[in-house]
Amino acid sequence: MLTGRAAVSPETAPDALAGFTVGVTATRRREEFCALLERRGARVVRAPAIRLVPLEEDAGLLAATREALSGPIDDVVITTGVGFRGWTAAAEGWGLSDDLAAHLSRARLLTRGPKARGAVRAAGLDDHWTAPAESCEEIKRHLLAQDLTGRRVAVQLHGEPLTGFVAELRAAGAEVVEVPVYRWLPYRDPSPLRRLISQTVTGTVDAVAFTSAPAVLAMLAAARAEGLEEALVAAFAGPVVAACVGQVTAGPLLDRGVPVVRPERPRLGALARVLARHLPEHGVTRLVAAGCELEIRGHAVAVDGGLRTLPPAPMAVLKRLAVKPGHVVARSELRTVLPGATSRDSAEHAVEMAVTRLRRALGRSGVVETVIKRGYRLACDRGAA
């Protein structure tokens, strides 16, 4: 364990994520979320996956708003506070503010959570019902428990279609108007996301955090374009943690059989706390070699409680040696985990240099032993970890 960790909650400890690298795909509130991770010691890779179409320029939202205002509205499903505020602001810009407010004041307003409810109340409107667990599924069940025949329901989308939700309401007899309050497009500069995909596939990041389902879909699509989609899914199913802010965000990954970690409540702070708990518990290898306590993290190792950041090649060697502590790993096998070496001779030299740099970085003699004509091993009992 790192020095001083015992007295501080792992959710708030400044070193909770030290030695770990987290990719962040968010666009909205990106810097706020990155600050939450960096405050806990994480190295953050910023790779925005999507961008928002400005509402006032979105012809689809204008058309949906006019359709909603073409007759009385019985129910309005409000999925996000920022989306609701954006809708009313866009309506004001189009000169439809008063008409929209009048329709909303006569409708039952069903909100997905406290943020959506707060936006409704801030607009001077009364909310009818709020989903206790902040899910669209709850709102759907609440509506389907009633007779929807002939009722007109407006559904404010949150960046992606709610296809099943809308289909079930229509099957129950409702007329549904879908309101695409904001629309996602790929981020203008795709290179950061491409780099994050490569880092995920090669395991040089420990986790990727998602705050919206469209960001998940955008990353999968970008990987598909590079021929790396299956490799990306395999990485998320293996060494790299996929962390999602909520159930809706996790949906595209769960559909692919990818395990995800997520907080009980969909909040950025809660997502940062989940990572601060999960990575130290599941992303760390602990062992004793040559009398030293080693705690191997994503890009760093704690030696007797002191954290030391390692370059990629020495870290790759250390992680491979730690797979079977005490067992000899041949130079030919270590060559396969090193980045950059192309020929056999250069790879042999790269292994020697990586081991030398690893020993220097650890600062303790005898931790990595040379077994003549065979390879290298960690100086610990076989199988001890």
Side-chain angles (χ1 to χ4, degrees), residues 256-296:
R256 299 292 299 269
V258 172
V260 303
V261 299
R262 61 184 179 90
E264 292 184 5
R265 297 181 71 80
R267 300 287 186 272
L268 292 183
L271 181 58
R273 290 193 294 272
V274 162
L275 281 167
R277 288 197 305 270
H278 183 87
L279 286 178
E281 290 177 3
H282 302 279
V284 171
T285 299
R286 297 181 176 88
L287 51 86
V288 176
C292 298
E293 293 185 1
L294 304 182
E295 184 177 293
I296 303 169

Short mmCIF file of all heavy atoms in Angstrom, two decimals, residues 256-296:
data_model
loop_
_atom_site.label_atom_id
_atom_site.label_comp_id
_atom_site.label_asym_id
_atom_site.label_seq_id
_atom_site.Cartn_x
_atom_site.Cartn_y
_atom_site.Cartn_z
N ARG A 256 -22.46 -5.80 -26.09
CA ARG A 256 -21.33 -6.54 -26.67
C ARG A 256 -20.72 -7.53 -25.68
O ARG A 256 -19.68 -8.14 -25.96
CB ARG A 256 -20.24 -5.56 -27.15
CG ARG A 256 -20.68 -4.57 -28.21
CD ARG A 256 -20.97 -5.25 -29.53
NE ARG A 256 -19.80 -5.92 -30.07
CZ ARG A 256 -18.94 -5.35 -30.89
NH1 ARG A 256 -19.13 -4.10 -31.30
NH2 ARG A 256 -17.90 -6.03 -31.35
N GLY A 257 -21.34 -7.68 -24.52
CA GLY A 257 -20.82 -8.60 -23.52
C GLY A 257 -19.65 -8.08 -22.74
O GLY A 257 -18.93 -8.84 -22.09
N VAL A 258 -19.43 -6.75 -22.77
CA VAL A 258 -18.30 -6.15 -22.07
C VAL A 258 -18.70 -5.85 -20.63
O VAL A 258 -19.71 -5.19 -20.39
CB VAL A 258 -17.85 -4.86 -22.77
CG1 VAL A 258 -16.80 -4.12 -21.94
CG2 VAL A 258 -17.30 -5.17 -24.16
N PRO A 259 -17.93 -6.29 -19.65
CA PRO A 259 -18.22 -5.91 -18.26
C PRO A 259 -17.89 -4.44 -18.04
O PRO A 259 -16.91 -3.93 -18.59
CB PRO A 259 -17.29 -6.82 -17.44
CG PRO A 259 -16.15 -7.10 -18.36
CD PRO A 259 -16.73 -7.15 -19.76
N VAL A 260 -18.70 -3.76 -17.26
CA VAL A 260 -18.46 -2.36 -16.97
C VAL A 260 -18.52 -2.13 -15.47
O VAL A 260 -19.13 -2.92 -14.74
CB VAL A 260 -19.48 -1.43 -17.67
CG1 VAL A 260 -19.48 -1.65 -19.17
CG2 VAL A 260 -20.88 -1.63 -17.11
N VAL A 261 -17.88 -1.07 -15.02
CA VAL A 261 -18.06 -0.61 -13.65
C VAL A 261 -18.80 0.72 -13.73
O VAL A 261 -18.57 1.52 -14.65
CB VAL A 261 -16.73 -0.45 -12.89
CG1 VAL A 261 -16.00 -1.77 -12.80
CG2 VAL A 261 -15.83 0.59 -13.54
N ARG A 262 -19.71 0.95 -12.81
CA ARG A 262 -20.47 2.19 -12.81
C ARG A 262 -20.96 2.48 -11.41
O ARG A 262 -21.13 1.56 -10.59
CB ARG A 262 -21.66 2.12 -13.78
CG ARG A 262 -22.68 1.04 -13.48
CD ARG A 262 -23.75 0.98 -14.56
NE ARG A 262 -24.73 -0.06 -14.31
CZ ARG A 262 -25.85 0.11 -13.60
NH1 ARG A 262 -26.12 1.29 -13.07
NH2 ARG A 262 -26.69 -0.88 -13.40
N PRO A 263 -21.19 3.74 -11.11
CA PRO A 263 -21.68 4.11 -9.77
C PRO A 263 -23.17 3.82 -9.64
O PRO A 263 -23.88 3.62 -10.65
CB PRO A 263 -21.41 5.61 -9.69
CG PRO A 263 -21.45 6.07 -11.11
CD PRO A 263 -20.92 4.93 -11.94
N GLU A 264 -23.65 3.81 -8.43
CA GLU A 264 -25.08 3.59 -8.20
C GLU A 264 -25.90 4.76 -8.73
O GLU A 264 -27.02 4.57 -9.23
CB GLU A 264 -25.36 3.38 -6.71
CG GLU A 264 -24.79 2.07 -6.16
CD GLU A 264 -25.18 1.85 -4.71
OE1 GLU A 264 -25.96 2.68 -4.18
OE2 GLU A 264 -24.72 0.87 -4.11
N ARG A 265 -25.36 5.96 -8.60
CA ARG A 265 -26.05 7.14 -9.10
C ARG A 265 -25.21 7.78 -10.21
O ARG A 265 -24.00 7.91 -10.06
CB ARG A 265 -26.31 8.15 -7.98
CG ARG A 265 -27.23 7.60 -6.89
CD ARG A 265 -27.47 8.62 -5.80
NE ARG A 265 -28.32 9.71 -6.26
CZ ARG A 265 -29.65 9.64 -6.35
NH1 ARG A 265 -30.28 8.54 -6.02
NH2 ARG A 265 -30.35 10.70 -6.75
N PRO A 266 -25.84 8.17 -11.31
CA PRO A 266 -25.09 8.67 -12.46
C PRO A 266 -24.58 10.09 -12.25
O PRO A 266 -25.20 11.06 -12.68
CB PRO A 266 -26.11 8.59 -13.60
CG PRO A 266 -27.44 8.72 -12.93
CD PRO A 266 -27.29 8.06 -11.59
N ARG A 267 -23.42 10.20 -11.59
CA ARG A 267 -22.81 11.49 -11.33
C ARG A 267 -21.32 11.40 -11.64
O ARG A 267 -20.69 10.36 -11.43
CB ARG A 267 -22.99 11.91 -9.86
CG ARG A 267 -24.44 12.04 -9.41
CD ARG A 267 -25.09 13.28 -9.98
NE ARG A 267 -26.43 13.46 -9.42
CZ ARG A 267 -27.53 12.93 -9.93
NH1 ARG A 267 -27.44 12.15 -11.01
NH2 ARG A 267 -28.70 13.15 -9.38
N LEU A 268 -20.73 12.49 -12.11
CA LEU A 268 -19.31 12.48 -12.42
C LEU A 268 -18.46 12.21 -11.18
O LEU A 268 -17.49 11.46 -11.23
CB LEU A 268 -18.90 13.82 -13.05
CG LEU A 268 -19.45 14.13 -14.45
CD1 LEU A 268 -18.89 15.45 -14.94
CD2 LEU A 268 -19.13 13.02 -15.43
N GLY A 269 -18.81 12.85 -10.07
CA GLY A 269 -18.07 12.62 -8.85
C GLY A 269 -18.14 11.17 -8.41
O GLY A 269 -17.14 10.60 -7.96
N ALA A 270 -19.32 10.56 -8.56
CA ALA A 270 -19.48 9.15 -8.19
C ALA A 270 -18.66 8.25 -9.11
O ALA A 270 -18.10 7.25 -8.68
CB ALA A 270 -20.96 8.77 -8.25
N LEU A 271 -18.59 8.61 -10.39
CA LEU A 271 -17.78 7.83 -11.33
C LEU A 271 -16.30 7.89 -10.96
O LEU A 271 -15.59 6.88 -10.99
CB LEU A 271 -18.00 8.34 -12.75
CG LEU A 271 -17.25 7.61 -13.88
CD1 LEU A 271 -17.59 6.13 -13.90
CD2 LEU A 271 -17.55 8.26 -15.22
N ALA A 272 -15.82 9.07 -10.58
CA ALA A 272 -14.42 9.20 -10.15
C ALA A 272 -14.17 8.37 -8.90
O ALA A 272 -13.12 7.72 -8.77
CB ALA A 272 -14.09 10.67 -9.90
N ARG A 273 -15.13 8.36 -7.98
CA ARG A 273 -14.96 7.57 -6.75
C ARG A 273 -14.95 6.08 -7.05
O ARG A 273 -14.19 5.31 -6.44
CB ARG A 273 -16.06 7.92 -5.75
CG ARG A 273 -15.93 9.32 -5.15
CD ARG A 273 -16.84 9.51 -3.95
NE ARG A 273 -18.25 9.47 -4.32
CZ ARG A 273 -18.95 10.53 -4.71
NH1 ARG A 273 -18.35 11.72 -4.82
NH2 ARG A 273 -20.24 10.43 -5.00
N VAL A 274 -15.78 5.64 -7.99
CA VAL A 274 -15.80 4.22 -8.37
C VAL A 274 -14.44 3.80 -8.91
O VAL A 274 -13.90 2.75 -8.56
CB VAL A 274 -16.91 3.95 -9.40
CG1 VAL A 274 -16.68 2.62 -10.12
CG2 VAL A 274 -18.26 3.90 -8.71
N LEU A 275 -13.87 4.63 -9.77
CA LEU A 275 -12.54 4.32 -10.30
C LEU A 275 -11.48 4.32 -9.20
O LEU A 275 -10.58 3.47 -9.20
CB LEU A 275 -12.16 5.33 -11.39
CG LEU A 275 -12.80 5.09 -12.76
CD1 LEU A 275 -12.61 6.32 -13.65
CD2 LEU A 275 -12.22 3.86 -13.42
N ALA A 276 -11.61 5.25 -8.25
CA ALA A 276 -10.64 5.33 -7.16
C ALA A 276 -10.70 4.11 -6.26
O ALA A 276 -9.72 3.76 -5.59
CB ALA A 276 -10.87 6.61 -6.35
N ARG A 277 -11.86 3.46 -6.21
CA ARG A 277 -11.97 2.20 -5.45
C ARG A 277 -11.55 1.00 -6.30
O ARG A 277 -10.84 0.12 -5.83
CB ARG A 277 -13.41 2.00 -4.97
CG ARG A 277 -13.84 2.91 -3.85
CD ARG A 277 -15.10 2.36 -3.17
NE ARG A 277 -16.18 2.15 -4.13
CZ ARG A 277 -17.10 3.07 -4.45
NH1 ARG A 277 -17.02 4.28 -3.92
NH2 ARG A 277 -18.06 2.79 -5.30
N HIS A 278 -12.03 0.97 -7.55
CA HIS A 278 -11.89 -0.24 -8.35
C HIS A 278 -10.45 -0.50 -8.80
O HIS A 278 -9.95 -1.63 -8.68
CB HIS A 278 -12.80 -0.15 -9.58
CG HIS A 278 -12.78 -1.39 -10.41
ND1 HIS A 278 -13.61 -2.46 -10.17
CD2 HIS A 278 -12.02 -1.74 -11.49
CE1 HIS A 278 -13.36 -3.41 -11.05
NE2 HIS A 278 -12.41 -3.00 -11.87
N LEU A 279 -9.78 0.52 -9.33
CA LEU A 279 -8.45 0.28 -9.89
C LEU A 279 -7.44 -0.19 -8.84
O LEU A 279 -6.70 -1.15 -9.08
CB LEU A 279 -7.96 1.51 -10.62
CG LEU A 279 -8.63 1.77 -11.99
CD1 LEU A 279 -8.10 3.06 -12.62
CD2 LEU A 279 -8.44 0.60 -12.93
N PRO A 280 -7.36 0.44 -7.66
CA PRO A 280 -6.41 -0.07 -6.66
C PRO A 280 -6.74 -1.48 -6.18
O PRO A 280 -5.85 -2.23 -5.77
CB PRO A 280 -6.52 0.94 -5.51
CG PRO A 280 -6.98 2.19 -6.16
CD PRO A 280 -7.94 1.73 -7.23
N GLU A 281 -8.03 -1.86 -6.24
CA GLU A 281 -8.41 -3.20 -5.79
C GLU A 281 -8.16 -4.26 -6.85
O GLU A 281 -7.78 -5.40 -6.54
CB GLU A 281 -9.90 -3.22 -5.40
CG GLU A 281 -10.22 -2.45 -4.13
CD GLU A 281 -11.70 -2.43 -3.83
OE1 GLU A 281 -12.47 -3.08 -4.59
OE2 GLU A 281 -12.10 -1.77 -2.86
N HIS A 282 -8.39 -3.90 -8.13
CA HIS A 282 -8.36 -4.91 -9.19
C HIS A 282 -7.26 -4.69 -10.21
O HIS A 282 -6.99 -5.58 -11.01
CB HIS A 282 -9.71 -4.93 -9.91
CG HIS A 282 -10.87 -5.21 -9.01
ND1 HIS A 282 -11.21 -6.50 -8.62
CD2 HIS A 282 -11.77 -4.39 -8.40
CE1 HIS A 282 -12.27 -6.46 -7.83
NE2 HIS A 282 -12.62 -5.19 -7.67
N GLY A 283 -6.63 -3.51 -10.21
CA GLY A 283 -5.61 -3.22 -11.22
C GLY A 283 -4.21 -3.19 -10.67
O GLY A 283 -3.32 -2.59 -11.26
N VAL A 284 -3.99 -3.86 -9.53
CA VAL A 284 -2.68 -3.82 -8.86
C VAL A 284 -2.19 -5.25 -8.63
O VAL A 284 -2.96 -6.13 -8.26
CB VAL A 284 -2.79 -3.08 -7.51
CG1 VAL A 284 -1.51 -3.23 -6.71
CG2 VAL A 284 -3.09 -1.61 -7.74
N THR A 285 -0.90 -5.46 -8.89
CA THR A 285 -0.24 -6.72 -8.53
C THR A 285 0.68 -6.44 -7.35
O THR A 285 1.54 -5.55 -7.42
CB THR A 285 0.58 -7.27 -9.71
OG1 THR A 285 -0.30 -7.53 -10.81
CG2 THR A 285 1.28 -8.56 -9.31
N ARG A 286 0.51 -7.20 -6.29
CA ARG A 286 1.33 -7.01 -5.08
C ARG A 286 2.18 -8.25 -4.85
O ARG A 286 1.67 -9.38 -4.90
CB ARG A 286 0.44 -6.72 -3.87
CG ARG A 286 -0.35 -5.44 -3.99
CD ARG A 286 -1.22 -5.18 -2.75
NE ARG A 286 -1.90 -3.91 -2.83
CZ ARG A 286 -3.10 -3.74 -3.40
NH1 ARG A 286 -3.73 -4.79 -3.91
NH2 ARG A 286 -3.66 -2.55 -3.45
N LEU A 287 3.44 -8.05 -4.57
CA LEU A 287 4.35 -9.17 -4.29
C LEU A 287 5.56 -8.66 -3.51
O LEU A 287 5.77 -7.46 -3.37
CB LEU A 287 4.77 -9.86 -5.59
CG LEU A 287 5.33 -9.00 -6.72
CD1 LEU A 287 6.83 -8.79 -6.54
CD2 LEU A 287 5.07 -9.65 -8.07
N VAL A 288 6.33 -9.62 -3.01
CA VAL A 288 7.57 -9.30 -2.28
C VAL A 288 8.71 -9.94 -3.05
O VAL A 288 8.69 -11.14 -3.35
CB VAL A 288 7.53 -9.83 -0.84
CG1 VAL A 288 8.86 -9.58 -0.14
CG2 VAL A 288 6.38 -9.18 -0.07
N ALA A 289 9.71 -9.12 -3.41
CA ALA A 289 10.90 -9.62 -4.12
C ALA A 289 12.14 -9.04 -3.47
O ALA A 289 12.22 -7.83 -3.24
CB ALA A 289 10.84 -9.21 -5.59
N ALA A 290 13.08 -9.91 -3.15
CA ALA A 290 14.32 -9.51 -2.48
C ALA A 290 14.04 -8.68 -1.22
O ALA A 290 14.76 -7.73 -0.91
CB ALA A 290 15.22 -8.72 -3.44
N GLY A 291 12.98 -9.05 -0.52
CA GLY A 291 12.62 -8.36 0.71
C GLY A 291 11.90 -7.04 0.51
O GLY A 291 11.57 -6.38 1.50
N CYS A 292 11.65 -6.63 -0.75
CA CYS A 292 10.95 -5.37 -1.02
C CYS A 292 9.48 -5.64 -1.35
O CYS A 292 9.16 -6.59 -2.07
CB CYS A 292 11.59 -4.65 -2.21
SG CYS A 292 13.31 -4.17 -1.96
N GLU A 293 8.62 -4.80 -0.81
CA GLU A 293 7.20 -4.89 -1.15
C GLU A 293 6.96 -4.10 -2.43
O GLU A 293 7.23 -2.90 -2.50
CB GLU A 293 6.34 -4.33 -0.02
CG GLU A 293 6.39 -5.16 1.25
CD GLU A 293 5.42 -4.64 2.31
OE1 GLU A 293 4.71 -3.66 2.04
OE2 GLU A 293 5.40 -5.23 3.40
N LEU A 294 6.45 -4.78 -3.46
CA LEU A 294 6.17 -4.14 -4.74
C LEU A 294 4.66 -4.10 -4.97
O LEU A 294 3.96 -5.08 -4.72
CB LEU A 294 6.81 -4.91 -5.90
CG LEU A 294 8.33 -5.14 -5.85
CD1 LEU A 294 8.78 -5.87 -7.10
CD2 LEU A 294 9.07 -3.82 -5.69
N GLU A 295 4.20 -2.95 -5.41
CA GLU A 295 2.79 -2.77 -5.79
C GLU A 295 2.80 -2.23 -7.22
O GLU A 295 3.08 -1.06 -7.45
CB GLU A 295 2.10 -1.81 -4.83
CG GLU A 295 0.61 -1.65 -5.09
CD GLU A 295 -0.06 -0.74 -4.07
OE1 GLU A 295 -0.12 -1.13 -2.88
OE2 GLU A 295 -0.49 0.35 -4.47
N ILE A 296 2.51 -3.10 -8.18
CA ILE A 296 2.64 -2.76 -9.60
C ILE A 296 1.31 -2.21 -10.10
O ILE A 296 0.28 -2.89 -10.05
CB ILE A 296 3.07 -3.98 -10.42
CG1 ILE A 296 4.38 -4.55 -9.87
CG2 ILE A 296 3.23 -3.61 -11.90
CD1 ILE A 296 4.74 -5.91 -10.46
#
